[in-house]
Amino acid sequence: MSELVRCARALVGGSERNDFAFVVRDGEIVDAGDFKPLRERHPEAPTRAFPSDRLVVPGFVNGHSHAYQILLRGWADDWSFERWRDEALYRVVPQLEPEDVYWVFVAAFSEMLAAGITTVAEFFYLNGRGNAHAEAAIRAASQTGIRLVLARTWMDAPHAPEVFRESIAEARERTRELRAAHPEANVCVAPHSLHGASEAMMRAAAAFAEEEDCDLHIHVAEAQSEAELSMSRFGKSPVLALDSLGVLGARTVAIHAIHVRDEEKALLARRDVRVIHNPTTNLYLGDGICDVVGLLERGIVMGLGTDANVKPSAIDEMRAASHLQKLARLDGAALGASTAFDLATAQGARALGVSAGDLAAGNSADFLVLDASAIDPWSPPGNALVYRGEDCWVQAAFVRGARAYAGEPSLLSLEARRQCARIALRCGVGKECV
Ligand SMILES: [Zn+2]
């Protein structure tokens, strides 16, 4: 069954189109273009029409998230990274049972859908007791309707909580099982980082990605302390250390890439590594500023992520990505609205290897209906969205042609909020910890 979606206003390939339409069949866009010829080509298809006070745009792609970190926001915000890790992250997340993971992920994914995020790459590190927790995350994605890329973490660093750690054999076996059981979850492998996974685990993960022909996500050069640790352990910077371990290649998705010298940017480009930039989290944690312009100039494919999820919002990430580059380069032309929008949509989808991010044939029918009434008539809608857009402009979010957000919180998301309050209380989360 096909459906023709007619849009008085749409953003297609980053540009505004009027009376644009696309045809959805089995969740995929099979044809797209001006309404009249499209209507002639598909005379039987029923029409869903959005008038000129609506703007239809592709759904946003979130390239990096830790959904359970919504429990850490609003109280542990102003601690040093070490204190935040040891007294918030390492204390709270290990207490989560699979059922808790389900509810926390429903809450986080519901917030993302309400902010127009239709694809999320979850970097999931609660795997020490088997796959039950990861399966709860997958169930949360399927019940909220968001598209999931599960970057299934491998960790064996002795300092990490026991419930994060696995042997290489366990990680390999369980990741293989998860991939076989859940093809819809796009499970790929994610050795945590240079500080979270041993040299042997890193090499094994790279071999796994090759054998299984899947992507490999990894945190790279996020904090200054990681660069120092890499120098003392390997005598090399994080990028060069990972390259010597055989981790960098066309399957690699590097998260952050902040503390990276020019010759290392060139190396990342030569290895065809993709990069996910997480500007609001970098600001929040005081990590540093990724040289997005320098990476893009070298031809690296990039996307944006909400990482710590203090406020999961693709609009905020686009705005921060642009502002940070302007500031870092003292140049108002450094990274404009159209590039920021591309990073959050088409290019971000390429960075994750998913067919989405534009209203074009061959892509999944992931799209948003935005309230266009706040867009000044003299403003290109992409500029309005990036520099003054609000998440509340999102009136509906569709994933694979099905409505996953309808303009107000679902009953499931309201229940998830209640469950999160209960979980937070049980885990000793909150203002009395500050
Ligand atoms: Zn992360």
Side-chain angles (χ1 to χ4, degrees), residues 175-237:
T175 308
R176 207 167 266 144
E177 279 173 20
L178 209 56
R179 281 172 56 75
H182 297 284
E184 79 287 2
N186 297 304
V187 179
C188 56
V189 64
H192 181 277
S193 59
L194 273 176
H195 51 93
S198 65
E199 221 177 294
M201 184 170 255
M202 212 89 74
R203 288 184 195 279
F208 182 91
E210 181 117 12
E211 280 160 33
E212 293 273 320
D213 192 19
C214 67
D215 279 349
L216 180 153
H217 290 224
I218 182 167
H219 293 107
V220 179
E222 175 176 7
Q224 191 66 52
S225 57
E226 183 187 330
E228 287 155 15
L229 179 131
S230 178
M231 281 310 289
S232 68
R233 214 166 114 200
F234 299 96
K236 292 176 181 148
S237 70

Side-chain angles (χ1 to χ4, degrees), residues 2 21-22 28 50 68 103 111 135 142 149 151 207 232 241 267 280 282 297 308 318 324 339 375 377 393 397 406:
S2 298
F22 54 93
E28 200 181 301
F50 297 107
Y68 17 48
W103 286 116
E111 285 185 25
E135 293 199 308
S142 96
V149 173
S232 68
L267 177 65
T280 67
N282 299 155
E297 276 171 357
M318 290 193 288
L324 277 175
T339 303
I375 298 175
W393 290 8

Side-chain angles (χ1 to χ4, degrees), residues 64-66 69 123 125 192 219 222 255-256 278 281 307-308:
H64 184 66
S65 156
H66 306 283
Q69 292 184 13
F123 201 102
Y125 47 74
H192 181 277
H219 293 107
E222 175 176 7
I255 314 301
H256 297 301
N278 305 275
T281 300
D307 195 358

Side-chain angles (χ1 to χ4, degrees), residues 31-48:
D31 201 357
D34 290 331
F35 169 71
K36 273 192 184 146
L38 209 72
R39 173 84 281 172
E40 281 160 22
R41 289 206 292 277
H42 304 273
E44 306 295 323
T47 305
R48 186 198 293 263

